[in-house]
Amino acid sequence: MVPAATSPRMEHAARVAHARSCARFEQRRVDQESRAAAGLVSVSTTCKSGSVVVDWAENCITIDPKASRVTRLRKGLGIAAKQLHNQGEKNQTIWMQTLTYKGDNRQWRPEHISRYLDALRKWHYARTGSKSVRYAWVAELQQRGVIHYHVILWLGGGLTPPKPDQPWHSKDRKGIKQWHPPMWAHGMSNRLRSTAPVAYLMKYASKIESKNVGTFPHGARIHGAGGLDPSGRSIRRWVLWPAYVQGNASVADHFKPARGGGYINESTGEVLLPEFAPTGGGFTSFIRIRTTPRRIDPSGPFSWLPSSTQVH
């Protein structure tokens, strides 16, 4: 959309800002191409303009970091939960647990959820001989404003996890019972069987919005998952890539963020340069400086699984 009225000063400012943005990104492009000279580099037209004011209006986007975090949460958690559920056998048991603080957010520490998961793996190893546990969790703010966690566990048939706020026991090689401290020693917990684990997690994920994500304690992770098999990890990675990477990659590819922007394929050295560059003044406003051709029409990552990979 073209502004209803533009002054010479506004047009001059737009030209200057546009030129600076293109110059900064062009330097990044040159740096990336020199680093990727031995591999394949995807390059497309950059910064072509007719009317600068029109180009600036049509090619600028504003990104809300909080909204982006929520979108990533819902996409990543949803696909991970579905994959974890499908990995299990027909007789798997599914448990949901809640971890609640007895005080307020002053008692919260970022390592608490990690230590709970470490204790869970220790218990699982004592019962099965394997430290690999399939789990997914999402954080929520209670009505009183205190963070707490909802956890789903996918376990082998017949396994019942300890109630997190209670001590649990294992047996040593001689069969002697050994007691261990609670997995969650910071308040209360709950433990129930689950019949709709993905829906349960996404119910709480849907409550997190950009307007309240900033009220979580500073530095708090708001979701996580573990125990995905290689296929599940590949699918989740593909889902979280930008559209221009998805349109040029399969789930079998190993793209990762490249230094200076864009994505690089670790296996081939191919570089996909980013389509937007920051306009300055923070990383919320961006301008399109290229359109990367899509080599394929992505209909979903499952259609690109290697033939040797099985999806249940």
Side-chain angles (χ1 to χ4, degrees), residues 128-173:
T128 68
S130 171
K131 293 182 179 180
S132 179
V133 185
R134 287 176 294 135
Y135 65 85
W137 61 268
V138 61
E140 185 197 14
L141 290 175
Q142 297 174 281
Q143 289 186 352
R144 60 192 179 106
V146 181
I147 187 174
H148 77 152
Y149 301 98
H150 297 271
V151 186
I152 288 289
L153 307 176
W154 288 268
L155 301 174
L159 282 179
T160 300
K163 198 169 182 290
D165 60 358
Q166 299 295 323
W168 60 278
H169 65 83
S170 63
K171 292 183 179 180
D172 62 16
R173 295 180 179 178

Side-chain angles (χ1 to χ4, degrees), residues 26-49:
E26 179 63 17
Q27 184 59 49
R28 292 182 183 177
R29 184 187 68 79
V30 171
D31 292 343
Q32 278 195 332
E33 288 185 342
S34 64
R35 287 195 300 270
L40 301 174
V41 181
S42 298
V43 182
S44 58
T45 305
T46 66
C47 288
K48 288 187 175 180
S49 109

Side-chain angles (χ1 to χ4, degrees), residues 74-127:
R74 293 173 181 171
K75 290 171 63 177
L77 182 66
I79 196 66
K82 291 174 184 177
Q83 294 302 305
L84 289 166
H85 186 73
N86 290 337
Q87 282 178 215
E89 302 294 335
K90 289 184 178 181
N91 66 339
Q92 67 180 338
T93 56
I94 307 167
W95 293 88
M96 51 187 180
Q97 298 187 331
T98 56
L99 312 174
T100 306
Y101 284 94
K102 62 183 177 183
D104 55 30
N105 284 334
R106 289 176 293 181
Q107 282 71 53
W108 171 87
R109 295 292 182 274
E111 66 271 16
H112 287 169
I113 185 66
S114 298
R115 290 178 178 173
Y116 158 77
L117 294 171
D118 288 341
L120 181 67
R121 295 186 190 97
K122 184 177 180 180
W123 165 82
H124 194 261
Y125 179 77
R127 293 292 188 275

Side-chain angles (χ1 to χ4, degrees), residues 282-297:
F283 288 88
T284 59
S285 180
F286 296 81
I287 186 170
R288 180 181 290 279
I289 45 80
R290 63 170 54 81
T291 299
T292 305
R294 271 57 166 172
R295 292 197 294 260
I296 48 184
D297 181 17

Side-chain angles (χ1 to χ4, degrees), residues 68 71-73 75-77 79 230-258 262-268 270 272-275 294-296 298 300-302 304-306:
S68 296
T71 299
R72 187 174 181 85
L73 154 69
K75 290 171 63 177
L77 182 66
I79 196 66
S231 294
R233 290 194 297 271
S234 296
I235 292 169
R236 182 176 63 171
R237 183 175 61 240
W238 185 93
V239 167
L240 294 176
W241 281 336
Y244 72 91
V245 180
Q246 292 178 339
N248 290 282
S250 77
V251 294
D253 288 325
H254 296 278
F255 278 95
K256 69 174 185 177
Y263 281 74
I264 183 170
N265 189 323
E266 291 182 303
S267 302
T268 65
E270 177 185 9
L272 296 172
L273 300 176
E275 297 187 317
R294 271 57 166 172
R295 292 197 294 260
I296 48 184
F302 300 97
W304 300 337
L305 284 173

